[in-house]
């Protein structure tokens, strides 16, 4: 039976993680190692100068081996593959992230970071993200077949599959687009706003990005803006 390790960056109690584990259970033996709290935008960071605490975790899906982790999403994959599971997993899944991970946002994503760590451990790795919505009909209908399809494929060193599902209804959904290139754009154009003056000439800043949907054709960003599922390969170190 195929062994599957699942991690995320939204935390072990997140609904998206639970939904992904339920789908994955139909495809193999599932192990979950996920952060004990929110770790979004952790990228591929790992813990080198601090310890990592692991605890068994009650999980709402029978038959899933679940553990919480005090570290980053990439830590979760490392300890899961190297210390918790009896052998390295065949597949690493990351997600379902609450929010899309396309274009330049990928480099900051803890979801992508977990998937890249899986790739570095020699496992087929798939990052799954979904637009923020209370409607999951598109993911529920199409993600099982997408996962089954991608798990039968092979990738090169340092590569991951990146799947992004738009926040739309089935009636608005355009279809599945494969082989999407990574856009050079961004959903939020970077800027910061000052929220307070501090002592000794300091100031307090917060991110205040400007929402943007301008992007190139045939990219992951364009696909999700147009209500298509985007599937693409993302390269890390080679």
């Amino acid at each position: 039976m195929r062994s599957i390790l699942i991690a995320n960056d939204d935390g072990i109690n997140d609904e998206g993680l639970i939904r992904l584990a339920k789908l994955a259970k139909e495809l193999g033996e599932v192990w979950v190692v996920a952060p004990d709290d929110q770790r979004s935008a952790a990228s591929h960071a790992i813990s080198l100068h601090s310890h990592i605490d692991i605890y068994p975790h009650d999980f709402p899906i029978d038959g899933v081996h679940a553990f919480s982790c005090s570290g980053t999403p990439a830590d979760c994959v490392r300890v899961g593959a190297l210390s918790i599971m009896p052998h390295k997993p065949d597949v690493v899944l990351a997600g379902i992230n609450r929010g899309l991970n396309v274009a330049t946002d990928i480099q900051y994503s803890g979801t992508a970071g977990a998937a890249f760590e899986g790739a570095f451990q020699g496992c087929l790795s798939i990052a799954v993200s979904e637009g923020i919505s209370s409607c999951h009909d598109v993911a529920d209908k199409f993600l099982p077949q997408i996962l089954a399809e991608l798990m039968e494929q092979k990738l090169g060193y340092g590569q991951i599959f990146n799947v992004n599902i738009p926040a739309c209804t089935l009636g608005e959904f355009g279809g599945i687009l494969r082989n999407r290139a990574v856009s050079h754009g961004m959903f939020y154009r970077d800027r910061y706003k000052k929220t307070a003056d501090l002592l000794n000439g300091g100031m307090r800043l917060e991110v205040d990005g400007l929402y943007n949907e301008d992007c190139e054709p045939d990219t992951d960003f364009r696909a999700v803006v147009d209500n298509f599922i985007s599937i693409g390969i993302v390269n890390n170190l080679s």
Side-chain angles (χ1 to χ4, degrees):
M1 177 183 288
R2 180 189 286 119
S3 59
I4 301 169
L5 172 61
I6 303 180
N8 74 345
D9 67 2
D10 290 318
I12 194 163
N13 294 313
D14 187 73
E15 176 196 21
L17 175 75
I18 296 168
R19 289 166 50 219
L20 185 58
K22 184 177 181 180
L23 294 178
K25 192 181 173 189
E26 302 301 315
L27 300 169
E29 180 186 30
V30 175
W31 296 69
V32 168
V33 182
D36 54 17
D37 204 351
Q38 174 62 246
R39 301 283 194 280
S40 290
S43 189
H44 199 160
I46 61 172
S47 301
L48 289 180
H49 303 292
S50 60
H51 60 270
I52 299 172
D53 296 332
I54 304 292
Y55 288 96
H57 188 84
D58 289 334
F59 203 72
I61 301 175
D62 290 340
V64 172
H65 315 276
F67 299 83
S68 67
C69 173
S70 66
T72 67
D75 284 332
C76 292
V77 174
R78 286 170 64 86
V79 300
L82 299 175
S83 296
I84 293 177
M85 296 179 66
H87 50 77
K88 283 190 179 182
D90 300 306
V91 177
V92 170
L93 302 179
I96 301 171
N97 189 66
R98 189 181 303 175
L100 299 165
N101 280 305
V102 298
T104 54
D105 287 348
I106 294 170
Q107 66 186 327
Y108 303 110
S109 166
T111 304
F116 279 126
E117 184 57 42
F120 287 173
Q121 294 299 328
C123 309
L124 177 73
S125 297
I126 306 168
V128 182
S129 304
E130 183 181 29
I132 298 174
S133 171
S134 60
C135 178
H136 305 299
D137 292 351
V138 174
D140 292 345
K141 182 175 178 63
F142 293 99
L143 189 53
Q145 71 184 61
I146 290 172
L147 292 178
E149 171 192 326
L150 297 182
M151 285 184 187
E152 296 300 325
Q153 299 186 32
K154 295 185 180 297
L155 289 172
Y157 177 77
Q159 294 183 326
I160 65 169
F161 285 116
N162 191 35
V163 178
N164 281 275
I165 302 167
C168 65
T169 66
L170 285 173
E172 299 165 325
F173 177 57
I176 300 172
L177 296 177
R178 295 169 172 80
N179 303 316
R180 295 300 93 184
V182 177
S183 170
H184 293 173
M186 60 190 70
F187 266 116
Y188 289 89
R189 290 179 172 147
D190 295 337
R191 68 175 185 177
Y192 286 83
K193 64 179 179 181
K194 183 170 72 171
T195 60
D197 291 309
L198 305 178
L199 295 176
N200 302 317
M203 58 181 173
R204 179 168 296 154
L205 302 177
E206 291 183 3
V207 171
D208 184 33
L210 294 171
Y211 187 74
N212 164 66
E213 289 188 355
D214 295 334
C215 49
E216 315 91 323
D218 301 322
T219 62
D220 53 359
F221 193 172
R222 184 75 264 161
V224 294
V225 166
D226 292 339
N227 286 338
F228 287 82
I229 289 177
S230 168
I231 302 175
I233 294 174
V234 183
N235 298 290
N236 203 324
L237 300 176
S238 59

